[in-house]
Amino acid sequence: MEALIPVINKLQDVFNTVGADIIQLPQIVVVGTQSSGKSSVLESLVGRDILPRGTGIVTRRPLILQLVHIDPEDRRKTNEENESKKNGRLYRGIDGEEWGKFLHTKNKIYTDFEEIRHEIEAETERISGNNKGISDEPIHLKIFSPHVVNLTLVDLPGITKVPVGDQPKDIEMQIKELIIKYISNPNSIILAVTAANTDMATSEALKVARDVDPDGRRTLAVVTKLDLMDAGTDAMDILMGRVIPVKLGIIGVVNRSQLDINQRKSVADAIRDEYAFLQKKYPSLTNRNGTKYLARTLNRLLMHHIRDCLPELKTRINVLAAQYQSLLNSYGEPVDDESSMLLQLITKFAAEYCHTIEGTAKYIETAELCGGARICYIFHETFGRTLESVDPLGGLTTIDVLTAIRNATGPRPALFVPEVSFELLVKRQVKRLEEPSLRCVELVHEEMQRIIQHCSNYSTQELLRFPKLHDAIVEVVTALLRKRLPVTNEMVHNLVAIELAYINTKHPDFADACGLMNNNIEEQRRNRMRDLPTAVPRDKSLKGPGGQSPSPTEFFSEGQVPKGGSQSASASEQTDSGMGNWRGMLKKGEEFTASDRAAAQYPPPGMPQKGHAVNLLDVPVPVSRKLSSREQRDCEVIERLIKSYFLIVRKNIQDSVPKAVMHFLVNHVKDSLQSELVGQLYKTTLLVDLLTESEDMAQRRNEAADMLKALQKASQVIAEIRETHMW
């Protein structure tokens, strides 16, 4: 058990060599208010005056103090600590049996403890300055002595409330954050120091300790200045745990006063006087208090704590070793064969780029769609929904349709709806499919550009070693994508142009739609015939006087109403509208109603009166008006045909555009990527420049190698404990 603490000291030395604080080792953290006697307790444990003294805040940096017990008759342990064997110098040549070592001074040995105190002061001012500020960068000090027990202690700045001198206004918060940082380590033991002449209920040290250790399983209380209590009072209730119970116990000590320090009273004499005081004042508690009992208790607690922490510590070290091994592998080895390395990296990048598109990449994204999956989403979700949202008659009004029909007939009134108007209008609607098609190409191009970064970050981390090679690969792939973009856009433009070049009214789907529309019109005609009044025989509704059908001349006479009456005219109109072929629909003459005649007799204001000259170009063309039944019928037919043909073209575009993008952009880049990279980059003149590592890569590789070596050494140290059955 006693050998466990030196093992922890070895581990501490291992990690100190790499300047790492990634492993939280078991240690004792001393916490207390300013001038509560923390430094005196530590000096009593060491047996020497090693800490700076003065008024106000003196400890301004964490001091990690390792006490190493050595056997004066057997100096083999000192040889293990010898860092100067290369120079042929051994520690057994040191004057005196006690000495110290600082981490920041490397191999320098201090046998004068006064010099150690001066070095602590100088190192504190070097980092923290001379304005009473604090720093969280620790000072590492190791003391070798036959008069100490094996311990690892951390002395922290004392808790203060009010800034003094040039101290920052938030000095209290800074100190508390520093203390919390160390005592939050679950492998630490908290040594809460409180002066006996203060109220234990107001102890800042116990309060801070309870915040991070509410169960008190790793908190030990130390009550200092027992000899300075008011006359007539004692600390019996405090030491017995009746005031505030502490699970690990409460130990009372007597410190040297400032007068004793000024008079150079030795620590050994102070310990003898402390024992005499306890024997006189607290005879029943003498064996459970005092500096020597405190040292033995801390040694015992630390050993048991180390024993409990070692299994978790071993697991943590193994996990970190695996992580640093993986990190070191990602940094790669120094380049020996530049030509082979360049070709290998190019081939690997090209393969990973293609695998990402195909969905077979080693690193699969889980946060968002990437590569081929995103391209599929663009084709069938983004592009497909965009096309489906395009209204076949969007931007096309009834007046536009009527105007197109009239413009297609020229100066002659038409008996049939001209096909030219249908082609003109349907081309206008089909043209609207070109913009979303080109946008689909742009989205796929952007995704293929994003795949470059994805491969660089996840698939080929080795490229990060060579920033110039990475930039060159990105530039080549970007140029290849940029070169294929106009070709793909041109093909998509041609797909739309092909649809515009020839309006195939004999398309099977379009013919079926026309037949269905004619059937609907015929059904509507029969329904209207069925709804005629029973007073007029349906088979005679179009007959003239005497039961004879009107002649064509009578039927189309200008301004004449058929002799069958208004109902007969209505029936005739319905009969005409029910003809199967819309191109064969005839338009009967416009009838004048009574209101039309009244409007003709009394023209509205602004119309030219009879007898006045009329300028036809000045007559305004009505923007909107009520359409006749013939006009409504013609517009409805055209709109239905446009919608039917538009849906056919939209289906073709929705199918052909993704195919064109895959052939001219995606597949072409996949097939020619590696040859393009090799042709552009695999050149003798570029080898050295492209395979130049980044400035900090070699440094990071060395740091990772040193850390991995330290972790492996720490793992060996712990393994030795198991072999010797100490754990």
Side-chain angles (χ1 to χ4, degrees):
M1 287 288 292
E2 185 68 25
L4 288 177
I5 297 178
V7 169
I8 295 300
N9 290 339
K10 286 184 179 180
L11 294 178
Q12 185 71 58
D13 294 340
V14 168
F15 293 117
N16 286 343
T17 57
V18 294
D21 193 21
I22 59 174
I23 296 292
Q24 295 178 322
L25 297 174
Q27 56 193 6
I28 300 171
V29 182
V30 184
V31 179
T33 57
Q34 188 172 299
S35 302
S36 62
K38 297 186 290 72
S39 298
S40 297
V41 171
L42 291 177
E43 287 182 338
S44 298
L45 295 174
V46 176
R48 289 280 193 162
D49 295 333
I50 61 171
L51 300 178
R53 291 284 182 170
T55 59
I57 183 170
V58 177
T59 304
R60 296 187 289 129
R61 287 179 61 184
L63 174 65
I64 299 179
L65 179 62
Q66 293 177 261
L67 304 182
V68 181
H69 176 77
I70 58 174
D71 189 347
E73 297 179 359
D74 186 1
R75 304 298 295 271
R76 286 179 299 177
K77 292 184 180 180
T78 61
N79 291 337
E80 296 176 358
E81 299 294 335
N82 185 15
E83 298 291 343
S84 57
K85 286 183 179 180
K86 297 178 181 179
N87 299 328
R89 180 183 176 185
L90 300 177
Y91 283 161
R92 59 170 59 101
I94 297 173
D95 296 334
E97 59 181 5
E98 299 175 300
W99 66 91
K101 276 180 57 181
F102 286 99
L103 178 64
H104 62 273
T105 57
K106 305 301 180 183
N107 299 327
K108 184 177 181 180
I109 306 301
Y110 296 84
T111 56
D112 184 0
F113 285 86
E114 187 73 19
E115 187 180 359
I116 291 178
R117 182 168 68 250
H118 292 325
E119 180 62 30
I120 293 175
E121 293 175 349
E123 181 65 13
T124 298
E125 291 188 0
R126 186 179 68 85
I127 300 297
S128 303
N130 53 6
N131 62 345
K132 301 297 183 180
I134 67 169
S135 171
D136 61 350
E137 185 176 343
I139 300 174
H140 293 268
L141 172 63
K142 184 181 289 189
I143 300 295
F144 300 88
S145 172
H147 307 299
V148 299
V149 295
N150 291 312
L151 288 175
T152 300
L153 304 126
V154 181
D155 187 21
L156 297 175
I159 301 173
T160 185
K161 293 290 185 181
V162 181
V164 177
D166 297 333
Q167 288 181 343
K169 295 182 180 180
D170 62 340
I171 186 67
E172 178 186 3
M173 186 60 63
Q174 290 185 21
I175 293 176
K176 283 191 175 181
E177 289 177 354
L178 180 60
I179 292 173
I180 293 295
K181 174 184 175 182
Y182 278 88
I183 66 177
S184 296
N185 173 13
N187 296 332
S188 66
I189 295 176
I190 305 172
L191 189 64
V193 179
T194 304
N197 55 359
T198 60
D199 191 350
M200 285 285 289
T202 62
S203 173
E204 287 287 339
L206 289 176
K207 179 180 179 300
V208 173
R210 185 166 294 181
D211 290 340
V212 298
D213 182 32
D215 298 333
R217 290 182 296 181
R218 52 188 184 90
T219 300
L220 174 67
V222 175
V223 179
T224 62
K225 304 182 181 181
L226 292 176
D227 56 334
L228 298 182
M229 297 187 67
D230 294 338
T233 61
D234 59 28
M236 184 66 70
D237 291 340
I238 296 176
L239 298 177
M240 295 295 291
R242 297 169 185 163
V243 178
I244 296 179
V246 180
K247 286 189 177 181
L248 295 185
I250 301 176
I251 300 176
V253 296
V254 177
N255 299 331
R256 291 180 298 169
S257 65
Q258 188 62 42
L259 179 61
D260 294 336
I261 296 173
N262 294 338
Q263 293 178 353
R264 304 265 181 189
K265 184 177 182 178
S266 67
V267 175
D269 293 339
I271 290 177
R272 284 194 296 268
D273 293 344
E274 176 192 50
Y275 180 78
F277 174 83
L278 293 174
Q279 191 73 29
K280 177 182 178 181
K281 191 71 174 177
Y282 305 98
S284 61
L285 301 178
T286 303
N287 295 331
R288 290 189 297 171
N289 290 277
T291 301
K292 290 186 177 181
Y293 179 77
L294 175 62
R296 293 194 301 270
T297 301
L298 290 176
N299 180 263
R300 174 177 54 83
L301 290 175
L302 187 58
M303 284 191 299
H304 286 285
H305 197 62
I306 291 172
R307 182 193 61 189
D308 297 337
C309 295
L310 275 179
E312 182 181 353
L313 192 62
K314 181 178 182 298
T315 302
R316 173 68 174 161
I317 289 175
N318 291 338
V319 170
L320 285 174
Q323 292 177 354
Y324 273 91
Q325 182 65 60
S326 176
L327 181 63
L328 188 60
N329 293 339
S330 68
Y331 292 152
E333 297 294 333
V335 180
D336 295 331
D337 188 349
E338 296 176 344
S339 177
S340 175
M341 173 64 75
L342 179 60
L343 187 59
Q344 178 183 352
L345 291 176
I346 290 176
T347 303
K348 185 175 182 180
F349 178 87
E352 291 295 338
Y353 190 92
C354 296
H355 291 333
T356 303
I357 295 177
E358 295 168 358
T360 58
K362 181 179 179 181
Y363 297 92
I364 302 294
E365 276 280 4
T366 57
E368 61 178 355
L369 294 178
C370 178
R374 191 174 185 87
I375 293 174
C376 179
Y377 182 86
I378 293 172
F379 285 157
H380 302 291
E381 296 293 333
T382 306
F383 178 59
R385 290 180 179 177
T386 302
L387 289 187
E388 291 174 0
S389 66
V390 178
D391 184 8
L393 300 176
L396 196 63
T397 64
T398 305
I399 295 298
D400 295 336
V401 177
L402 183 60
T403 303
I405 294 174
R406 288 186 170 184
N407 286 336
T409 60
R412 298 172 302 280
L415 297 177
F416 309 103
V417 178
E419 291 190 22
V420 177
S421 60
F422 163 71
E423 289 196 7
L424 175 67
L425 294 173
V426 80
K427 287 182 178 180
R428 170 179 167 182
Q429 298 304 103
V430 170
K431 184 69 175 176
R432 298 169 61 208
L433 298 176
E434 182 175 7
E435 181 179 354
S437 301
L438 294 176
R439 177 58 179 163
C440 175
V441 178
E442 182 181 351
L443 291 175
V444 174
H445 176 267
E446 292 176 357
E447 177 56 28
M448 297 191 71
Q449 193 74 31
R450 289 177 66 246
I451 296 177
I452 303 175
Q453 190 64 31
H454 172 81
C455 293
S456 301
N457 293 340
Y458 299 99
S459 303
T460 52
Q461 291 187 354
E462 296 176 356
L463 283 179
L464 301 179
R465 294 177 55 193
F466 312 107
K468 292 185 178 180
L469 176 60
H470 176 267
D471 294 342
I473 289 178
V474 171
E475 184 178 351
V476 171
V477 180
T478 302
L480 178 60
L481 291 172
R482 192 184 305 117
K483 184 171 65 175
R484 297 304 303 174
L485 185 60
V487 179
T488 310
N489 284 334
E490 182 66 21
M491 182 60 196
V492 171
H493 174 77
N494 288 338
L495 289 175
V496 179
I498 289 170
E499 297 292 345
L500 296 175
Y502 181 65
I503 305 301
N504 183 16
T505 56
K506 292 295 184 180
H507 193 284
D509 295 339
F510 186 69
D512 293 343
C514 289
L516 181 61
M517 184 183 67
N518 291 336
N519 293 336
N520 292 338
I521 295 176
E522 181 65 24
E523 183 178 355
Q524 293 175 7
R525 184 193 68 79
R526 288 197 298 267
N527 292 337
R528 286 196 294 268
M529 292 291 292
R530 191 180 302 114
D531 294 338
L532 286 175
T534 56
V536 181
R538 294 176 181 172
D539 56 347
K540 299 180 180 180
S541 60
L542 296 178
K543 294 183 178 180
Q548 300 296 327
S549 298
S551 64
T553 307
E554 292 176 332
F555 192 85
F556 291 103
S557 298
E558 181 177 352
Q560 181 178 356
V561 179
K563 297 179 180 179
S566 60
Q567 293 179 347
S568 299
S570 176
S572 175
E573 180 179 285
Q574 293 172 357
T575 303
D576 290 341
S577 64
M579 298 181 65
N581 191 348
W582 61 272
R583 296 185 182 88
M585 295 178 184
L586 297 176
K587 180 180 179 183
K588 68 180 183 66
E590 298 285 346
E591 298 90 355
F592 283 93
T593 63
S595 60
D596 294 334
R597 296 190 187 97
Q601 294 175 3
Y602 304 100
M607 292 289 291
Q609 301 296 326
K610 185 176 181 180
H612 294 272
V614 178
N615 185 357
L616 295 178
L617 297 179
D618 292 338
V619 178
V621 178
V623 178
S624 62
R625 61 181 177 82
K626 183 178 180 181
L627 301 181
S628 66
S629 58
R630 166 67 184 274
E631 292 172 337
Q632 290 178 350
R633 184 171 60 249
D634 292 347
C635 291
E636 182 180 356
V637 169
I638 290 294
E639 288 175 354
R640 290 186 179 183
L641 292 175
I642 291 174
K643 184 174 182 180
S644 176
Y645 195 82
F646 179 87
L647 295 179
I648 295 172
V649 175
R650 186 173 70 182
K651 183 188 296 185
N652 294 340
I653 294 297
Q654 191 171 353
D655 178 67
S656 58
V657 167
K659 294 179 178 178
V661 174
M662 287 297 298
H663 177 73
F664 287 93
L665 181 61
V666 180
N667 291 340
H668 188 279
V669 171
K670 282 173 49 182
D671 296 339
S672 59
L673 178 60
Q674 182 169 355
S675 60
E676 190 76 14
L677 289 172
V678 172
Q680 295 287 338
L681 303 179
Y682 192 67
K683 299 177 181 179
T684 306
T685 56
L686 300 177
L687 286 178
V688 177
D689 186 51
L690 292 178
L691 294 180
T692 302
E693 288 187 329
S694 59
E695 297 179 357
D696 59 337
M697 181 58 65
Q699 179 181 353
R700 284 188 290 175
R701 185 192 297 109
N702 293 335
E703 291 176 354
D706 293 341
M707 181 58 68
L708 179 60
K709 184 178 179 180
L711 290 168
Q712 291 172 344
K713 186 175 181 180
S715 181
Q716 292 175 359
V717 171
I718 295 179
E720 292 174 0
I721 301 176
R722 301 190 65 176
E723 293 176 359
T724 55
H725 305 286
M726 288 187 292
W727 168 19

